[in-house]
Amino acid sequence: NAGVTQTPKFRVLKTGQSMTLLCAQDMNHEYMYWYRQDPGMGLRLIHYSVGEGTTAKGEVPDGYNVSRLKKQNFLLGLESAAPSQTSVYFCASRPDSLHQPQHFGDGTRLSIL
Amino acid sequence: GESVGLHLPTLSVQEGDNSIINCAYSNSASDYFIWYKQESGKGPQFIIDIRSNMDKRQGQRVTVLLNKTVKHLSLQIAATQPGDSAVYFCADRAAGYSTLTFGKGTMLLVSP
């Protein structure tokens, strides 16, 4: 049981490039989340999904897009990367039950030059 | 390298001591609270949770205390070990919402 898997683990981009981060979970969870983590800022929610085919904005959605075409996958896209998007990105999922914790992947470390 | 620990409050303890990590939350409508542990280069790992209808919950070597009157949460770790060294985050969820609000974290350093 792999849990939540994020790919890639590391990536360096140039300003203006685009890329997609993939999150896959094998726990049949309904809810999925994308966060970014910056020094001293804690975890900030970018976008989330409450089920296949749904997406919603979080606290810091600007510059990012997401898609949830399959229940097990949640994609985070950067259309035109900016240095301010240099961060560590975490994906999480949880079941559709009250009072259940989110389970996290090990992150994607993204640097924008 | 990983720099999530910069500017974090830090608690330094000796191996074998008991550790207490505190967290304040702001939303009086929060009904579910979670503690996570994050080791360097890893994602947050669930430790223990508590619902708002409880004021104490115990796990293996960990206890979470909830004081709703002052909106305060604490994590107690008994007989702290070097492997407990990590950043600890609290998170809360408002009733009826699907998202969590995370605290900024506390770094726990355990000396042998």
Side-chain angles (χ1 to χ4, degrees), chain A residues 33 37 100-102 105-106 109, chain B residues 2 4 32 36 38 41 43 98:
Chain A
Y33 304 83
Q37 186 174 45
Q100 290 289 328
Q102 295 177 17
D106 279 337
R109 285 139 187 88
Chain B
E2 189 69 49
V4 69
Y32 180 57
Y36 285 95
Q38 187 177 25
S98 304

Side-chain angles (χ1 to χ4, degrees), chain A residues 25 27-33 49-52 68 71 93-103, chain B residues 93 96-98:
Chain A
Q25 52 93 6
M27 299 173 282
N28 201 35
H29 286 173
E30 288 292 332
Y31 291 73
M32 296 187 75
Y33 304 83
S49 169
V50 301
E52 181 179 315
R68 184 96 183 270
K71 184 177 183 178
S93 71
R94 73 166 177 89
D96 181 18
S97 303
L98 280 177
H99 308 122
Q100 290 289 328
Q102 295 177 17
H103 300 269
Chain B
R93 191 199 69 188
Y97 282 76
S98 304

Side-chain angles (χ1 to χ4, degrees), chain B residues 3-108:
Chain B
S3 58
V4 69
L6 286 178
H7 312 302
L8 288 177
T10 300
L11 175 64
S12 297
V13 301
Q14 295 286 324
E15 182 177 2
D17 287 351
N18 295 332
S19 302
I20 300 176
I21 300 171
N22 296 304
C23 177
Y25 64 95
S26 59
N27 192 344
S28 57
S30 292
D31 69 346
Y32 180 57
F33 306 85
I34 309 173
W35 280 101
Y36 285 95
K37 172 186 181 183
Q38 187 177 25
E39 297 174 284
S40 182
K42 297 282 190 179
Q45 177 186 5
F46 169 74
I47 303 173
I48 192 168
D49 57 3
I50 189 169
R51 303 181 189 185
S52 59
N53 61 354
M54 304 170 70
D55 54 19
K56 180 179 180 179
R57 191 172 187 208
Q58 290 184 292
Q60 187 176 11
R61 279 202 308 120
V62 295
T63 300
V64 55
L65 299 177
L66 175 63
N67 185 330
K68 295 181 290 295
T69 302
V70 295
K71 296 199 281 290
H72 183 268
L73 194 66
S74 67
L75 177 70
Q76 300 179 358
I77 304 174
T80 313
Q81 303 167 359
D84 294 327
S85 293
V87 176
Y88 290 81
F89 293 95
C90 65
D92 65 284
R93 191 199 69 188
Y97 282 76
S98 304
T99 60
L100 295 174
T101 300
F102 284 83
K104 289 184 169 43
T106 296
M107 180 173 284
L108 177 64

